[in-house]
């Protein structure tokens, strides 16, 4: 499994619009891409203009191939002019072990 952690910095004043768009459409488009195991996003506590996407992919190849899919294009279109930058990292993950509260 591949874990992608993306951080998106949103234009000041557009945070609520970004969150709403992701909740209503963006994350659903991403989740339909071939190779996505799970996808979620969240908003920063210390910096409410920063958002993160945590996406589990079946492989790096699946992630790279998804960039050509219509659904991925729709996901990216949800960003529009709302983002002003960001960073992305990828990690090959070991098997998950459920915690006590799972």
């Amino acid at each position: 499994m591949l874990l992608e952690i993306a951080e998106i910095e949103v234009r000041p004043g557009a945070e609520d619009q970004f969150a709403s768009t992701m909740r209503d459409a963006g994350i659903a488009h991403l989740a339909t891409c071939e190779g996505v195991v799970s996808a979620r996003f969240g908003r920063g506590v210390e910096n409410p203009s920063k958002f993160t996407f945590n996406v589990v992919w079946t492989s790096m190849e699946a992630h790279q191939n998804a960039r050509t899919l219509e659904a991925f294009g729709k996901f990216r279109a949800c960003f529009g002019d709302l983002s002003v930058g960001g960073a992305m990292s990828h990690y090959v993950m070991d098997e998950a072990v459920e915690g006590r509260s799972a």
Side-chain angles (χ1 to χ4, degrees), residues 42-84:
R43 188 172 185 174
V45 174
E46 295 83 7
N47 181 352
S49 293
K50 189 178 278 189
F51 290 79
T52 186
F53 291 93
N54 291 248
V55 185
V56 176
W57 297 89
T58 56
S59 66
M60 188 66 182
E61 181 181 37
H63 175 32
Q64 291 170 329
N65 291 339
R67 293 174 178 266
T68 66
L69 300 175
E70 181 180 354
F72 194 85
K74 289 180 179 179
F75 164 70
R76 300 265 328 237
C78 288
F79 287 51
D81 62 348
L82 302 177
S83 68
V84 294

